[in-house]
Amino acid sequence: MSVNAKEQVRSEASNREELLRAPFIYRDDEALEKSFQFTLMKRLASYMRPYPGLMAAAFCATLGNLAVTLIAPYLVGRTIDTAIAHHRVHALLAYGAILIGLYLLNFAASSFRIYLTNQLGQRVIQGLRRELFVHVQGLSSDFFDARPAGSILVRILNDVNSLQDLFTNGVINSITNLFTLIGIIAIMFSLNWQLSIVTLVVVPFMFMLSLRLTIQIRRAWQQVRLRLSRINAHLAEGIQGMRVTESYVRQDENQMFFEKMNRDYMATFLRAQRWSIPFGPLVDLTGALGSALLFWYGVHLLHNGVVTVGLLVAFANYLGNFWTPIGQLGQVYNQILVAMASSERIFQYLDTQANVVDRDDAIALPPIKGKVEFRSVGFSYEEGRRALSDVSFEALPGQTVALVGHTGAGKSTVINLLARFYDPTEGSILVDGKDIAKVSLDSLRSQIGIVLQDTFIFSGTIMDNIRYGNPAASDEEVKAAARAVYAHEFIENLPEGYHTEVRERGSRLSQGQRQLISFARAILADPRILILDEATASIDTYTEHLIQKGLNVLLEGRTAFVVAHRLSTIRDAHQILVFDGGRIVERGTHAQLMAHGGYYYDLVAAQYKFLA
Amino acid sequence: MEGVYRRLSRFYRPYLRLLYVSLGLLVLTTALQLAYPYLLKMIVNRVVIGHHFQALLPLSAAILLASMVKGVFNFSQAYLAQVFGSKTAFDLRNALYKKLNHQPFSYYDNVHTGDLMSRMTADLDAFRMFFAFGINNLMSLGLTVVLGISMMLTMNWILALVLTALMPILAVTAIRFDRQLHPVFQAVRRTLGNLNSGVQENLMGMRTVKSFAKESFEIDKFNERNDAYYGANMQATKLWRKFFPFIELVGNIGVVLILMVGGWLVMSSHMNLGDLVAFLSVVWYMIWPMSQLGFFLNNWTQATAAGERLLEILEYPDDLDASDEQISQSVQGKVEFRNVGVKMGDKWVLSDINFTAEPGQTIALLGLTGAGKTTLTSLIARFRDATEGEVLIDGIPIRSWNRHALRSQVGVAFQDPFLFSTTIFANIAYGRPHAKVEDVRRAAAIADAAEFIDELPEGYMTLVGERGMGLSGGQKQRVALARAILLNPSILILDDATSAVDMETEYEIQQALQKVMAGRTTFIIAHRISSLKRADQILVLDGGRIVERGTHEELLASHGLYRHIFDMQFQDFASMNDSGETAQTGTEGHIG
């Protein structure tokens, strides 16, 4: 539940009625851009450290480019002054040869620079993305429970990608640009310092102006991105819910809503353009001003014999080259500001620590027999929200334990703790007499099988999906597992049998079929302890029948914890734990509990009267 | 390929005037840009060499003035082109949205949300960019070349010819570059798509990943895709490193050639020094735009490909026949199917369906997965048309009803209760946005949702949907049901709409609905016998045909498929009795 989103909406909606009837409400992303922060920048830069060779090579190639950019105009000026003006054919040819040589060098340097800088950037991005993904894989369930998959996805993909420009072009280019600027200034001053001062007098003004402009441009684009993300949010949702829209004939209202959003986006976009476009012409204009000053003063110096025509031409050339790096530095500055926000979000994830981790002295759990014990276990997902209190029970190897109770009674929490998705706040959980907090996660989870209510199907073949928990299994073993849980028949009836490709979360399969596949997956992994969350969704009677038969096979000989909805499953359990408000309120077998006439009896009896 | 722009012309044609003005300004900008070398030549020839110092001030002023005027023109042409592109994109985005809102249901059977999203965002933007600056860039490049060459010709035709000889090399290089880059860019997009979907799948299935402790397997899978994306990017880099320096080199060699040939011309007194300097300036001006040729062409190719993908949405045919939609009166609720059959692909999913539902009746549909129940009800709200036979509403063929008028009187509660990102109130009022608060509350009460909504901290103001409060499956179904009830429909279709609700609640909902739907027609699809045993007529479907029909008692007596399903559901009843209980239950009885 997003408190922020509501606050935001509240300030936008003028009154309660408007909010109540808001057609759609989308939460805006967290701050898109940040001010410059040195620590962030330093941490970002550290990702280039593993590639000192690449960096050095890229830098050398860049210097090669730079040298030619700086020397060539000077040589062209010299050619005009010394060779052409004085009719020296040999000198002309010599200069020509030198220039060609330089440009060939430039060609090679450019080629290397492009290759090396891109490689550096791509490597950094590849590495950063890998680090982020690996880190996120290791985070605990509370991390994933607290945020929608979409927002994690955006960080791993979009936020990392938005750093790509900075690392491929930004870093190297800004170094090049700085060097170019310094080089040009140095050369200009060495050629003639008076001329340099006069022509560069406009630079500080230009600098101030572009800095102010940059701030406006950044703000304007921030607004554009904000609106674009709203449009995208609505599109994604609108497409998924389109059947509802069409059948409720809501098209006209939605069209109005969308057009308003679209118009708003266009206006903001054009406003950003109005700020961005003048940047180029302004740089041009300042350049022209510099040129005018150059000639006005240059001709004066020429008249006094202080400078030559060639020098003036060379000077004009340098001045022309002076403005490009300035414009590019402005762009890099913008890139850096965008990167600040992205990198902050990335680092926020990287700095998140997993709640459930192996202890330093964690031992590998030896092959287990299946005895499970909860000793006065208590748990809160967050401060003050108690999910489980004082839960104690013991399950012997091979027993089936049914967990019964209303939504939120604590059944799922028991399962979350047993699989060590979370660690208990109080008490301890023992498997074969060993505290599971003291064993390694891998050794524990690889011996526990979990069948979730909504079976997740990965894209790939049915065969791959069943094999997920036991990649070494042969095709025959996969089929045997499917046969054992009565999934074989429907799989064989699919167009390509076990090799049928399932896509987009297995949408081609029904809920019941997906559950049968998850049974096969679990039986192939052959865990000693099985956790099963029965599906409540609508399953047709025939498949339902298969699931019941499959379930019996699956449960046999394993210690099993079942969040049960089917009466048949509950009735056959060795032990039924009835939960209410995070506590065990009743326990026993079906017969015992029915005879007892308590909470469980009421739950069961409540259903009967609708069937008679 | 040109057909793409013709077929999309209705979106940009209204704004073409903007483009024309922009292009006019662009011509002036380009002309003024070339004034700079011209003025430079004047300064060198007349002031520096000719010592006419009084000409310096007006010439410097002219440089400044030209630059200012050029700045204004340049801004205006660029901005007008952006307006042109934005307005075109605005209309196009609206039209696409509208089309998506009216796309036939079958369309959504085959598309992926992710793919539609990338069309609505990336493709639309690629198309916009061509209009917003691509045309101007190409035009500007053409103008620069033409004006530059003609200026050079007036300055010195020999030098101009020397330079023109280099043009074909550049043109051939640019075209080859574009051709090679195209597949590489496709690979970049494809590998990124793979990476995206891989990470997305991993995150969605995180609980399964963790359950099987398969993190390292997932990391390997990720690394493979991450590396492939890196590889594709490096392929593009290899092309860049080949072409960009080459184009740069050709331009630079041009400069050296001009310097050599020009130097010789000056020395042999066929040309003066100022002309050579000016000529060199013109060459400098042409080098940069020429080197961008590859990019500009790429822009055009991408816009064409993007336009094609947009047209696939816009030109998708409506599979419903709209020629006779004239009836918009109120629906009484009589539904009649006459020999109805539906074919999808080469498979008949429904055949030979005949039945009549009178106003006030409840019709239940029972059958295994894939029996055709949902397809049958989708014909009643005219989400699709029958391939053969006829569906009649109130005795009028369904094709004669205005589809919007009809649908707004048919309430459908879908299997998967989709809720939008807004308040619970607005979700219930989705079909009637201006409904009174009391009406929304009443609909919620009938759907047995009022109680839990009132218990939420924010009540009807609670935000739901993707980023909102997580409601349980049963709660979502009840909100979706209230949404259908609020329509006050003459025909109500419950497509497995209470499957996640426990039996007690379902019974209460059905009792309440019976009162509201008096005199109107209700269709119920369900798997639980208990959900549909009270219906006036039960249709049992198997393989797209009605295999049995009648009331609960009649069907039980006939010992067919219905009886079989009933027995399967109640087989535990006996064993329950064995364990000494007097109560009875179905195996699908849900506790908790």
Side-chain angles (χ1 to χ4, degrees):
Chain A
M1 187 68 213
S2 51
V3 177
N4 285 347
K6 268 199 254 165
E7 291 306 325
Q8 213 166 346
V9 167
R10 262 198 201 115
S11 62
E12 279 172 18
S14 55
N15 57 49
R16 202 182 149 80
E17 172 75 5
E18 203 172 307
L19 173 59
L20 190 67
R21 293 180 190 268
F24 302 100
I25 296 169
Y26 299 112
R27 182 183 176 184
D28 289 328
D29 203 352
E30 299 121 85
L32 283 159
E33 277 163 39
K34 284 274 170 183
S35 56
F36 190 87
Q37 275 173 286
F38 189 70
T39 44
L40 271 183
M41 216 42 228
K42 226 173 101 182
R43 189 163 171 191
L44 262 185
S46 73
Y47 282 91
M48 298 175 67
R49 213 176 287 147
Y51 313 105
L54 257 182
M55 265 167 74
F59 191 66
C60 287
T62 309
L63 279 185
N65 268 164
L66 183 62
V68 176
T69 317
L70 293 178
I71 297 170
Y74 174 75
L75 281 179
V76 172
R78 293 291 295 170
T79 315
I80 294 173
D81 275 352
T82 59
I84 300 176
H86 294 98
H87 295 252
R88 290 183 188 146
V89 180
H90 288 294
L92 178 64
L93 288 176
Y95 274 120
I98 295 172
L99 275 172
I100 293 275
L102 269 181
Y103 283 136
L104 281 174
L105 182 81
N106 187 52
F107 171 73
S110 284
S111 180
F112 278 112
R113 177 181 53 91
I114 290 174
Y115 186 71
L116 294 170
T117 54
N118 273 293
Q119 191 178 21
L120 178 65
Q122 297 290 352
R123 282 237 170 124
V124 169
I125 293 300
Q126 184 194 23
L128 183 60
R129 203 193 324 268
R130 187 191 303 128
E131 181 183 335
L132 186 59
F133 184 83
V134 170
H135 184 79
V136 166
Q137 285 301 297
L139 289 178
S140 317
S141 298
D142 58 333
F143 178 84
F144 299 99
D145 291 347
R147 57 207 91 210
S151 80
I152 308 175
L153 185 73
V154 165
R155 292 200 194 191
I156 297 181
L157 296 164
N158 300 11
D159 280 330
V160 174
N161 270 350
S162 75
L163 296 179
Q164 191 161 315
D165 264 0
L166 182 66
F167 278 112
T168 43
N169 295 313
V171 174
I172 301 282
N173 276 359
S174 46
I175 294 174
T176 320
N177 285 325
L178 269 178
F179 272 89
T180 313
L181 273 184
I182 295 169
I184 290 177
I185 292 174
I187 290 179
M188 282 168 78
F189 271 87
S190 72
L191 285 177
N192 187 295
W193 65 269
Q194 296 102 320
L195 210 49
S196 306
I197 289 175
V198 170
T199 48
L200 294 182
V201 82
V202 286
V203 172
F205 295 104
M206 161 70 198
F207 189 72
M208 295 298 292
L209 194 66
S210 63
L211 209 62
R212 299 196 59 149
L213 205 57
T214 315
I215 295 170
Q216 292 298 332
I217 292 174
R218 180 165 55 85
R219 290 205 185 125
W221 283 109
Q222 191 174 334
Q223 292 300 316
V224 172
R225 276 190 282 275
L226 195 68
R227 277 157 184 81
L228 190 63
S229 70
R230 284 185 203 158
I231 287 190
N232 289 347
H234 177 68
L235 277 176
E237 177 176 87
I239 290 169
Q240 287 169 49
M242 197 57 85
R243 287 184 173 148
V244 179
T245 302
E246 289 199 39
S247 79
Y248 284 76
V249 202
R250 244 298 270 256
Q251 287 103 330
D252 291 347
E253 273 88 2
N254 288 4
Q255 189 80 26
M256 263 163 50
F257 178 81
F258 184 76
E259 282 186 20
K260 187 164 163 276
M261 219 163 39
N262 195 5
R263 191 178 302 279
D264 194 25
Y265 169 66
M266 176 170 76
T268 322
F269 180 83
L270 287 176
R271 187 172 164 273
Q273 289 291 351
R274 283 199 296 274
W275 280 111
S276 304
I277 298 176
F279 198 79
L282 266 182
V283 173
D284 267 8
L285 186 64
T286 334
L289 198 62
S291 299
L293 284 173
L294 167 73
F295 284 113
W296 172 75
Y297 189 61
V299 165
H300 175 72
L301 290 181
L302 188 76
H303 186 55
N304 296 338
V306 182
V307 297
T308 61
V309 178
L311 187 120
L312 218 51
V313 172
F315 221 94
N317 253 323
Y318 284 119
L319 200 61
N321 283 337
F322 185 81
W323 300 105
T324 328
I326 289 201
Q328 284 182 354
L329 278 175
Q331 279 176 14
V332 173
Y333 185 67
N334 262 336
Q335 273 179 5
I336 288 177
L337 291 176
V338 175
M340 283 289 152
S342 288
S343 56
E344 189 171 41
R345 288 198 291 256
I346 291 170
F347 293 148
Q348 197 188 344
Y349 274 13
L350 285 177
D351 294 339
T352 306
Q353 292 305 319
N355 274 351
V356 180
V357 284
D358 287 345
R359 292 196 185 176
D360 292 336
D361 55 353
I363 49 153
L365 187 66
I368 53 184
K369 297 191 180 66
K371 186 179 159 190
V372 175
E373 200 181 336
F374 269 55
R375 283 188 192 160
S376 312
V377 172
F379 184 72
S380 310
Y381 284 96
E382 51 193 78
E383 203 74 41
R385 213 182 60 154
R386 198 132 186 91
L388 222 55
S389 325
D390 196 26
V391 169
S392 299
F393 63 84
E394 195 185 79
L396 298 176
Q399 277 196 341
T400 297
V401 179
L403 310 175
V404 174
H406 281 295
T407 310
K411 298 167 297 185
S412 308
T413 308
V414 169
I415 281 178
N416 280 338
L417 294 179
L418 179 56
R420 233 190 133 198
F421 287 140
Y422 294 84
D423 277 334
T425 332
E426 299 140 26
S428 53
I429 300 167
L430 292 85
V431 169
D432 288 353
K434 291 191 181 62
D435 189 339
I436 59 169
K438 292 178 182 160
V439 302
S440 72
L441 275 173
D442 258 15
S443 68
L444 175 72
R445 288 203 190 131
S446 58
Q447 297 190 69
I448 294 183
I450 303 172
V451 176
L452 301 165
Q453 194 177 103
D454 187 14
T455 305
F456 192 85
I457 301 288
F458 294 91
S459 54
T461 62
I462 301 263
M463 187 77 90
D464 296 337
N465 267 290
I466 296 178
R467 204 180 265 147
Y468 191 77
N470 183 0
S474 69
D475 285 9
E476 281 318 307
E477 285 169 315
V478 169
K479 285 183 187 173
R483 243 180 233 117
V485 295
Y486 303 93
H488 181 72
E489 189 190 328
F490 97 80
I491 296 173
E492 283 285 282
N493 281 333
L494 291 172
E496 286 165 69
Y498 283 87
H499 298 287
T500 306
E501 293 272 345
V502 275
R503 276 180 306 160
E504 285 224 338
R505 305 171 66 194
S507 56
R508 285 165 67 173
L509 304 172
S510 78
Q511 277 254 334
Q513 290 170 335
R514 294 217 290 268
Q515 183 133 59
L516 283 177
I517 287 184
S518 74
F519 284 2
R521 204 189 256 169
I523 209 164
L524 189 65
D526 197 22
R528 297 320 310 148
I529 297 177
L530 183 77
I531 293 171
L532 195 138
D533 197 354
E534 273 191 332
T536 51
S538 159
I539 290 166
D540 77 61
T541 309
Y542 180 66
T543 313
E544 171 70 30
H545 189 64
L546 294 182
I547 286 177
Q548 274 186 58
K549 291 206 290 182
L551 193 60
N552 290 333
V553 176
L554 191 60
L555 295 181
E556 206 175 287
R558 296 174 215 283
T559 311
F561 294 84
V562 186
V563 173
H565 302 291
R566 289 182 184 79
L567 278 177
S568 59
T569 316
I570 300 169
R571 193 200 53 224
D572 296 342
H574 299 96
Q575 205 181 149
I576 300 170
L577 303 177
V578 184
F579 284 84
D580 191 32
R583 292 172 186 278
I584 297 179
V585 291
E586 279 173 40
R587 64 177 84 203
T589 63
H590 177 73
Q592 286 165 350
L593 289 175
M594 289 307 284
H596 173 64
Y599 188 88
Y600 179 79
Y601 178 87
D602 290 343
L603 268 182
V604 177
Q607 307 213 33
Y608 295 159
K609 58 182 184 206
F610 308 103
L611 293 159
Chain B
M1 297 249 277
E2 281 70 25
V4 171
Y5 296 96
R6 188 177 43 74
R7 276 141 72 202
L8 287 165
S9 65
R10 66 188 156 108
F11 298 106
Y12 60 78
R13 194 173 292 139
Y15 310 114
L16 273 178
R17 198 168 293 167
L18 285 170
L19 178 69
Y20 295 148
V21 176
S22 166
L23 289 178
L25 287 168
L26 177 71
V27 173
L28 295 176
T29 310
T30 315
L32 279 173
Q33 187 148 331
L34 290 164
Y36 181 77
Y38 182 75
L39 289 170
L40 191 66
K41 175 184 128 174
M42 298 256 290
I43 289 182
V44 174
N45 279 348
R46 298 191 54 189
V47 182
V48 179
I49 298 171
H51 292 268
H52 291 285
F53 295 115
Q54 70 280 13
L56 178 62
L57 202 61
L59 282 172
S60 304
I63 286 187
L64 268 183
L65 188 70
S67 161
M68 270 193 266
V69 176
K70 191 194 94 179
V72 173
F73 283 173
N74 198 7
F75 173 83
S76 311
Q77 67 86 14
Y79 184 65
L80 283 176
Q82 287 288 352
V83 175
F84 173 63
S86 280
K87 284 194 182 275
T88 304
F90 173 76
D91 284 359
L92 187 53
R93 191 178 282 117
N94 282 343
L96 284 163
Y97 184 78
K98 188 167 189 169
K99 179 70 183 172
L100 286 176
N101 267 292
H102 290 89
Q103 215 69 293
F105 271 44
S106 57
Y107 179 79
Y108 291 102
D109 293 342
N110 302 317
V111 295
H112 298 284
T113 311
D115 181 58
L116 274 185
M117 283 297 292
S118 81
R119 286 175 201 240
M120 291 293 286
T121 54
D123 288 331
L124 191 82
D125 213 43
F127 191 74
R128 181 193 63 80
M129 285 197 278
F130 180 64
F131 282 76
F133 54 77
I135 296 177
N136 284 39
N137 278 341
L138 281 174
M139 176 86 174
S140 157
L141 174 60
L143 271 177
T144 309
V145 172
V146 170
L147 280 177
I149 288 182
S150 39
M151 254 185 98
M152 289 174 182
L153 281 173
T154 62
M155 285 172 163
N156 189 303
W157 65 271
I158 303 174
L159 285 186
L161 276 186
V162 169
L163 210 62
T164 319
L166 293 176
M167 292 295 164
I169 303 180
L170 282 183
V172 168
T173 311
I175 290 168
R176 275 188 52 192
F177 176 56
D178 183 51
R179 218 170 267 162
Q180 293 188 28
L181 194 61
H182 194 68
V184 173
F185 267 174
Q186 279 179 331
V188 170
R189 259 184 249 123
R190 196 181 50 240
T191 49
L192 180 64
N194 275 341
L195 183 64
N196 278 6
S197 51
V199 175
Q200 180 163 21
E201 194 171 83
N202 169 269
L203 294 172
M204 308 282 265
M206 186 52 81
R207 276 187 83 89
T208 306
V209 173
K210 290 216 172 288
S211 304
F212 284 94
K214 296 285 282 186
E215 286 92 343
S216 57
F217 171 76
E218 291 292 319
I219 288 171
D220 288 346
K221 210 161 75 180
F222 168 83
N223 279 342
E224 208 173 282
R225 294 179 178 200
N226 195 21
D227 294 349
Y229 180 53
Y230 168 82
N233 271 308
M234 287 313 290
Q235 282 299 321
T237 300
K238 275 182 191 149
L239 282 180
W240 289 333
R241 77 173 295 188
K242 202 161 111 191
F243 283 99
F244 288 151
F246 183 74
I247 290 176
E248 199 184 1
L249 181 67
V250 172
N252 285 333
I253 285 178
V255 173
V256 179
L257 275 179
I258 297 298
L259 201 58
M260 295 297 106
V261 178
W264 178 76
L265 284 175
V266 171
M267 284 185 223
S268 57
S269 306
H270 286 92
M271 188 182 190
N272 61 42
L273 198 56
D275 279 344
L276 179 61
V277 173
F279 201 97
L280 275 173
S281 312
V282 178
V283 176
W284 286 119
Y285 271 103
M286 283 176 59
I287 284 180
W288 188 79
M290 284 305 294
S291 69
Q292 302 293 306
L293 181 62
F295 271 138
F296 296 169
L297 282 177
N298 197 50
N299 189 206
W300 181 71
T301 326
Q302 283 197 17
T304 313
E308 276 167 7
R309 280 161 62 83
L310 297 179
L311 280 168
E312 279 172 18
I313 297 178
L314 287 169
E315 293 180 351
Y316 190 85
D318 183 4
D319 62 359
L320 302 183
D321 168 25
S323 60
D324 193 33
E325 291 187 16
Q326 42 179 349
I327 312 274
S328 324
Q329 67 202 38
S330 63
V331 174
Q332 300 306 310
K334 186 175 168 184
V335 178
E336 204 179 338
F337 275 55
R338 286 188 194 155
N339 300 318
V340 170
V342 173
K343 196 176 177 181
M344 287 187 197
D346 341 310
K347 206 179 142 208
W348 286 95
V349 289
L350 278 184
S351 25
D352 210 17
I353 304 290
N354 284 289
F355 71 87
T356 306
E358 297 292 344
Q361 280 195 333
T362 297
I363 312 292
L365 300 168
L366 179 75
L368 303 182
T369 306
K373 307 177 299 280
T374 298
T375 310
L376 192 153
T377 51
S378 71
L379 297 174
I380 300 169
R382 206 170 171 218
F383 295 146
R384 60 176 84 243
D385 271 337
T387 318
E388 56 173 41
E390 206 166 19
V391 177
L392 299 104
I393 306 289
D394 292 349
I396 301 165
I398 201 162
R399 286 165 211 260
S400 302
W401 285 88
N402 175 295
R403 75 179 79 154
H404 293 160
L406 176 69
R407 282 180 194 166
S408 57
Q409 299 184 69
V410 178
V412 187
F414 292 93
Q415 219 163 3
D416 175 28
F418 190 89
L419 298 187
F420 294 90
S421 307
T422 180
T423 61
I424 289 192
F425 184 93
N427 263 294
I428 297 176
Y430 195 69
R432 280 181 58 203
H434 305 292
K436 288 193 199 123
V437 177
E438 309 90 79
D439 291 343
V440 170
R441 284 181 179 277
R442 202 162 49 93
I446 295 167
D448 200 45
E451 201 177 321
F452 88 78
I453 295 173
D454 282 327
E455 278 172 13
L456 292 171
E458 304 263 343
Y460 284 85
M461 300 280 270
T462 307
L463 294 183
V464 291
E466 201 178 355
R467 297 197 177 186
M469 173 100 178
L471 298 181
S472 77
Q475 289 173 331
K476 278 193 219 160
Q477 282 194 336
R478 282 180 275 166
V479 172
L481 186 60
R483 175 165 71 191
I485 292 167
L486 184 69
L487 277 185
N488 199 12
S490 303
I491 300 171
L492 179 66
I493 298 171
L494 307 178
D495 184 352
D496 225 345
T498 48
S499 57
V501 175
D502 64 65
M503 286 188 195
E504 180 177 1
T505 313
E506 186 185 44
Y507 178 76
E508 276 160 17
I509 293 172
Q510 286 193 358
Q511 293 295 312
L513 269 181
Q514 217 159 29
K515 278 186 218 132
V516 186
M517 292 302 289
R520 293 182 257 185
T521 320
T522 310
F523 288 85
I524 298 179
I525 296 179
H527 291 304
R528 296 198 293 234
I529 296 281
S530 63
S531 312
L532 39 78
K533 57 190 280 197
R534 285 171 294 274
D536 298 299
Q537 205 182 152
I538 300 170
L539 307 177
V540 182
L541 276 92
D542 191 23
R545 290 172 187 278
I546 297 179
V547 291
E548 280 177 81
R549 66 177 80 204
T551 62
H552 177 67
E553 287 72 24
E554 288 164 8
L555 289 170
L556 277 188
S558 76
H559 291 274
L561 181 60
Y562 186 86
R563 177 71 203 218
H564 182 61
I565 291 173
F566 177 86
D567 286 344
M568 278 167 80
Q569 289 190 12
F570 280 75
Q571 67 185 13
D572 278 339
F573 173 51
S575 57
M576 279 293 194
N577 275 341
D578 291 346
S579 65
E581 298 310 319
T582 50
Q584 63 177 33
T585 182
T587 55
E588 286 180 63
H590 289 197
I591 279 192

